[in-house]
Amino acid sequence: LNLLLRFDVSDNELTGEVPVHLFSGGLLDVLDIHGNQLTSFPDTIPKGNRSLGFLALQFNPLEGAFPTNTISNMVDLDHLDLTSTSLTGTMPIELGTLTKLNYLFLADTAFISGTIPDDYENLNFLMDLSLKHADRIGPIPAWFGSFQKMILLDLDDNQLSGTIPSVLGNMTRLNFLMLHRNILLGTVPQELGNLQRMQYLFLDHNDLTGDISSLCSGDPKKHRITSDCAAPSNEIICTCCAVCCDDEEESKDCNIHHENDYFAGLEPQWSTTFSRLDYSTGGIVYEFVDFNITD
């Protein structure tokens, strides 16, 4: 199969180990094996694999330590999805060497609790990063402010603490910022008002306070903001929030907001050469067209 360019066996019932021969030379650019029952990944592959750009492993019960000697040698990876796998150990700092990554999804993983690795500061070509429900603690790194290409940053449902860095307001291409369900405190930086492309800003279920009505400028139909602006606590003052939550008495809208427990991902599309078309909401609440959110 040395001439094979793309291999897609997703959403079957494959079991066992991912075959090492798939990475032994050849011209393979796309390997999509998500949605199977694969439990292990090769420990080693030939160094400097220069062909593979797209690796989709999500929704497989992969076990054991992260295959450092395998994935970190895929130096041309553009897309890596490990969502809902069972790999253990620390969140791999070696991913910080894959500087060509545009899409990195590590949501709902089983890595040991820890901070967001500073080694990821090198991944400044990222457009999408999801660390949702990944047991991350500590502050939101200020170096995110230098990620000028980023469109989506999903840090939902962790234990991130401290304040929201004002430098996030420098991420001028950002459309989707999910910071809800953490333990962030302080006021929401007014610099987030610089994010003119913002469509979704989720801030609820934190310990944030203050008035964020200055973020409400522009066409309210083009953005959706959630915060802890519900009575009786009214921790946040917000005149345009689509959903107001409260830690003590959840509203129906807030419950629906959290029941829609979505994971960000990029569903492979042959017709678009595995690139994203857009992030349009199509006018439907919580429905991203071509952005693929799955529950």
Side-chain angles (χ1 to χ4, degrees):
L1 300 177
N2 286 339
L3 298 180
L4 186 66
L5 296 176
R6 294 171 179 170
F7 188 51
D8 182 355
V9 288
S10 58
D11 295 317
N12 284 286
E13 296 183 5
L14 301 176
T15 60
E17 183 178 67
V18 179
V20 68
H21 64 75
L22 291 175
F23 309 99
S24 300
L27 302 173
L28 189 66
D29 175 54
V30 172
L31 179 58
D32 182 7
I33 50 179
H34 81 270
N36 284 288
Q37 294 297 313
L38 297 166
T39 54
S40 61
F41 201 80
D43 291 331
T44 58
I45 62 167
K47 283 191 175 183
N49 186 296
R50 292 275 177 183
S51 61
L52 195 65
F54 187 107
L55 180 60
L57 300 173
Q58 68 269 28
F59 306 117
N60 277 291
L62 296 172
E63 301 172 344
F66 177 82
T68 299
N69 294 326
T70 305
I71 293 179
S72 60
N73 284 328
M74 299 176 183
V75 293
D76 275 355
L77 270 186
D78 167 82
H79 174 112
L80 176 61
D81 195 337
L82 297 173
T83 299
S84 294
T85 56
S86 300
L87 296 172
T88 56
T90 58
M91 184 168 282
I93 62 174
E94 291 82 5
L95 292 181
T97 65
L98 302 178
T99 55
K100 295 184 180 181
L101 279 173
N102 289 154
Y103 304 103
L104 178 59
F105 304 109
L106 300 176
D108 192 33
T109 45
F111 296 122
I112 296 170
S113 178
T115 59
I116 298 172
D118 282 335
D119 301 77
Y120 294 4
E121 183 178 3
N122 300 321
L123 303 178
N124 51 18
F125 283 99
L126 280 177
M127 292 189 289
D128 293 4
L129 174 63
S130 177
L131 298 176
K132 170 190 176 74
H133 189 52
D135 212 1
R136 296 302 92 195
I137 61 174
I140 297 174
W143 42 257
F144 275 131
S146 66
F147 281 35
Q148 296 299 304
K149 295 181 179 294
M150 186 163 282
I151 297 174
L152 176 142
L153 178 58
D154 186 359
L155 303 178
D156 168 35
D157 196 15
N158 285 287
Q159 292 291 310
L160 296 171
S161 57
T163 58
I164 299 174
S166 61
V167 291
L168 296 190
N170 297 335
M171 302 169 71
T172 54
R173 293 192 66 194
L174 203 60
N175 282 236
F176 307 98
L177 180 57
M178 289 85 159
L179 302 179
H180 53 313
R181 296 191 293 190
N182 282 285
I183 50 175
L184 299 169
L185 49 79
T187 58
V188 177
Q190 297 301 305
E191 287 82 356
L192 294 187
N194 298 333
L195 305 177
Q196 297 299 309
R197 300 186 184 187
M198 186 65 70
Q199 294 185 43
Y200 282 35
L201 175 59
F202 294 166
L203 300 170
D204 58 276
H205 287 81
N206 283 288
D207 294 320
L208 300 167
T209 58
D211 190 339
I212 63 171
S213 298
S214 63
L215 304 181
C216 297
S217 60
D219 185 352
K221 295 180 181 179
K222 291 184 178 180
H223 57 245
R224 179 180 180 85
I225 302 176
T226 68
S227 73
D228 294 327
C229 51
S233 63
N234 296 113
E235 295 175 357
I236 292 286
I237 299 172
C238 180
T239 58
C240 66
C241 282
V243 176
C244 280
C245 298
D246 182 86
D247 293 338
E248 300 298 329
E249 298 181 16
E250 297 289 28
S251 66
K252 178 181 178 181
D253 286 346
C254 193
N255 285 331
I256 293 173
H257 171 55
H258 289 295
E259 286 170 3
N260 291 320
D261 193 19
Y262 300 123
F263 292 105
L266 174 58
E267 183 71 17
Q269 297 180 28
W270 296 94
S271 60
T272 62
T273 318
F274 295 92
S275 60
R276 194 187 294 291
L277 287 176
D278 58 48
Y279 296 77
S280 170
T281 60
I284 304 173
V285 174
Y286 289 106
E287 181 70 22
F288 290 75
V289 178
D290 298 314
F291 175 63
N292 188 42
I293 299 285
T294 55
D295 58 21

